[in-house]
Amino acid sequence: MALEIVLDTETTGIDHRKGHRLIEVGCIEIEDLLPTGRTYHRYIDPEREIEADAIRVHGITNEMVRGKPKMAEICDELLEFIGDRKIIAHNASFDRGFINMELERHSRPFPPDHQWIDTLEMARLKFPGAANSLDALCRRFNISLAERDLHGALIDARLLASVYLELLGGKERGLDLEMAGARASAAATANHTGYAPRPRPLASRITAAEAEAHEAFVKKYLKDKALWPTGA
């Protein structure tokens, strides 16, 4: 069973090299492409102003993040949630740049580049020349955008988890994995279920005449080919 983390971020601006900071991080844990139900989500006080252009994209204002935990306070819990698992992100270089900058700023190790999987690169290989933004992929795969008016890290991570499933084979693969998991669970349950002998044997439900008729039939027609001896 492969555990992976689908991750998305929101920021004060588009370039971490110009001093922009994280203001939201959202992670979804998936196991063999299916959400496990475990998530990680935090708003972060960036200790600087959010650009107006960024607010128009994600709707997160300075007032909304003022007083939220600072990055130094959540570094360790974020790293613990991610662990050494693959990190799935759309346009991963953007999220990776901000995550690495924040972790380095606070003297924390950051995930190596090979730990990241970029769904934008996957989409470009699958649909060369087409629009491959997260919204465009959701529309292409008929993934509903109804609950999202603006970008948000956890909402976008949930959408990306669905897109990632589609990029790797679609709902049929997800159903196969779900059914395989259900079969494995049922088999494990069956293997660990013990059945003791009945404390009292069930009473026979056939009459003495029926038993005699059956015994006569076996002796006459089946003879030594009977699976069970008569009277058993």
Side-chain angles (χ1 to χ4, degrees), residues 19-20 32 35 37 40 48 50 52 54 88 106 113 115 118 121 137 143 145 148 155 168-169 179 202 221:
H20 286 291
D32 281 341
Y40 178 84
R48 61 155 292 162
I50 304 172
I88 317 304
H106 299 294
D113 289 355
Q115 196 171 332
D118 190 350
E121 291 183 2
L137 290 168
I143 297 168
L145 293 165
R148 180 175 33 94
I155 293 173
L168 289 178
M179 292 299 292
L202 290 176
Y221 295 104

Side-chain angles (χ1 to χ4, degrees), residues 85 91 111 138-139 156 173 181 201 205 230:
R85 290 168 288 188
N91 191 15
C138 285
R139 287 190 288 269
D156 283 4
R173 172 166 166 75
R205 300 181 64 180
T230 57

Side-chain angles (χ1 to χ4, degrees), residues 2-226:
L3 285 170
E4 298 171 297
I5 301 296
V6 183
L7 176 145
D8 190 69
T9 62
E10 301 299 341
T11 63
T12 63
I14 62 172
D15 193 343
H16 67 275
R17 292 165 296 188
K18 295 182 179 179
H20 286 291
R21 306 286 301 278
L22 286 178
I23 55 173
E24 185 186 15
V25 59
C27 301
I28 306 285
E29 182 186 71
I30 60 174
E31 185 172 22
D32 281 341
L33 307 182
L34 301 174
T36 66
R38 290 188 69 231
T39 64
Y40 178 84
H41 179 240
R42 290 288 184 274
Y43 287 106
I44 304 159
D45 184 344
E47 303 178 81
R48 61 155 292 162
E49 294 295 298
I50 304 172
E51 288 193 345
D53 287 345
I55 294 174
R56 279 191 284 272
V57 172
H58 50 58
I60 302 172
T61 64
N62 292 292
E63 291 73 22
M64 290 172 62
V65 294
R66 190 170 293 125
K68 297 296 183 183
K70 296 179 174 60
M71 191 67 199
E73 300 172 58
I74 71 161
C75 283
D76 294 330
E77 62 184 31
L78 175 61
L79 284 171
E80 183 180 358
F81 188 87
I82 292 172
D84 60 358
R85 290 168 288 188
K86 294 292 185 183
I87 306 168
I88 317 304
H90 200 67
N91 191 15
S93 61
F94 178 87
D95 300 285
R96 183 173 66 239
F98 274 92
I99 292 287
N100 290 356
M101 175 271 295
E102 294 283 7
L103 293 174
E104 186 174 26
R105 178 190 288 263
H106 299 294
S107 303
R108 301 298 197 279
F110 44 81
D113 289 355
H114 65 75
Q115 196 171 332
W116 293 78
I117 295 176
D118 190 350
T119 50
L120 179 58
E121 291 183 2
M122 293 172 63
R124 284 172 173 167
L125 289 172
K126 193 176 183 72
F127 307 110
N132 286 308
S133 67
L134 181 58
D135 284 15
L137 290 168
C138 285
R139 287 190 288 269
R140 184 174 297 131
F141 293 131
N142 294 317
I143 297 168
S144 175
L145 293 165
E147 59 179 315
R148 180 175 33 94
D149 294 323
L150 296 168
H151 287 266
L154 194 60
I155 293 173
D156 283 4
R158 292 187 192 282
L159 294 173
L160 183 57
S162 297
V163 166
Y164 183 53
L165 168 63
E166 294 290 350
L167 288 171
L168 289 178
K171 293 183 176 63
E172 292 78 9
R173 172 166 166 75
L175 182 60
D176 287 345
L177 290 167
E178 193 169 10
M179 292 299 292
R183 287 194 295 270
S185 177
T189 301
N191 289 338
H192 287 86
T193 301
Y195 296 96
R198 290 181 178 274
R200 296 180 182 176
L202 290 176
S204 176
R205 300 181 64 180
I206 63 173
T207 66
E210 289 171 333
E212 289 177 6
H214 173 69
E215 186 171 357
F217 173 85
V218 170
K219 287 180 177 178
K220 182 176 181 180
Y221 295 104
L222 300 181
K223 300 178 182 177
D224 60 348
K225 293 185 175 61

